[in-house]
Amino acid sequence: MCEHEIERKVALITSGNSDTEQSFVHTDHLDRDPETSHQTRERALNAAIVQANISESFEEHLGIFDAFYADDIEVSSETQEEVIRGKARVRALLCDFLIPLHIMAEIGGLQVSIRQIALPGDAAGETHSEWTLDLVGVSGRTCTLSWRALRKWNGSRVVSEHHYEHQQSGGPLTMADLSFDVLEQYDSASEE
């Protein structure tokens, strides 16, 4: 999916206070009002992330990243000392997370859902959000990860993202929580 197609897709954002109301916002108009531009882009970015289906493709998430993040992006976390700088380095890190998650969802039966809540901010050009990632194995065991994100915007692009207040409930999922029966059947058939 090219960047232009991603831009069109993410232009569908939730409007007003209703979770069911949706409206189309043309991306051509997102940068006209600097005061609301980053807030509109933030809603579009978050909606795109929540709507993307990791079991179908990890490439859609990469397209979202390419469409919204600046080339000189800086990503940091309270759990890591090093700040990751540059789109190529952050994209590689994102691939290291998304590809295994996609494989576990598509082949291993892992159910993945993500939720987001906007949080009030106190500085212009900054947005805050709370994220929850639920992972449910075929065994029924769950692992829930949650964190908060602070994004700094420069025009229509995220230039900085900081993750903080990480929490995990439920232990890490193991191979016993996934279903790779297809692979086991393939291995058995190839041995015969």
Side-chain angles (χ1 to χ4, degrees):
M1 191 176 286
C2 72
E3 186 173 330
H4 182 68
E5 290 169 325
I6 295 290
E7 285 283 341
R8 284 185 156 177
K9 185 170 183 175
V10 298
L12 177 63
I13 62 172
T14 302
S15 64
N17 295 324
S18 171
D19 288 356
T20 59
E21 281 185 46
Q22 294 182 335
S23 67
F24 285 94
V25 175
H26 295 284
T27 56
D28 299 345
H29 303 293
L30 292 177
D31 297 326
R32 290 198 179 156
D33 181 2
E35 291 296 316
T36 60
S37 172
H38 71 275
Q39 294 168 349
T40 303
R41 295 287 290 180
E42 174 80 3
R43 285 192 304 271
L45 170 55
N46 292 343
I49 292 169
V50 169
Q51 291 171 8
N53 185 346
I54 191 66
S55 66
E56 291 179 10
S57 165
F58 66 89
E59 290 91 349
E60 184 174 1
H61 288 83
L62 295 177
I64 294 166
F65 173 75
D66 290 341
F68 282 93
Y69 287 78
D71 290 339
D72 59 349
I73 180 70
E74 293 185 355
V75 175
S76 60
S77 172
E78 68 182 5
T79 60
Q80 297 203 249
E81 292 181 24
E82 180 187 6
V83 174
I84 310 299
R85 290 182 173 84
K87 201 168 200 174
R89 287 193 64 211
V90 175
R91 193 174 207 279
L93 185 66
L94 192 57
C95 281
D96 288 346
F97 174 74
L98 291 174
I99 292 172
L101 191 61
H102 167 68
I103 291 169
M104 289 185 288
E106 182 183 44
I107 299 171
L110 183 68
Q111 293 179 17
V112 180
S113 65
I114 190 159
R115 302 183 305 279
Q116 175 270 328
I117 299 170
L119 300 172
D122 54 355
E126 289 185 2
T127 58
H128 295 262
S129 54
E130 182 175 280
W131 292 87
T132 303
L133 176 66
D134 293 310
L135 306 172
V136 182
V138 295
S139 65
R141 287 189 57 213
T142 63
C143 179
T144 301
L145 305 170
S146 62
W147 67 94
R148 292 185 176 199
L150 161 64
R151 291 189 186 121
K152 294 183 182 179
W153 292 80
N154 185 1
S156 65
R157 302 287 180 169
V158 177
V159 294
S160 174
E161 184 167 299
H162 178 71
H163 296 186
Y164 60 102
E165 293 187 16
H166 295 89
Q167 295 181 7
Q168 176 178 332
S169 64
L173 301 180
T174 67
M175 290 298 287
D177 300 309
L178 302 173
S179 175
F180 288 109
D181 294 338
V182 172
L183 295 177
E184 290 170 10
Q185 291 172 4
Y186 175 77
D187 287 342
S188 296
S190 64
E191 290 175 4
E192 295 175 356

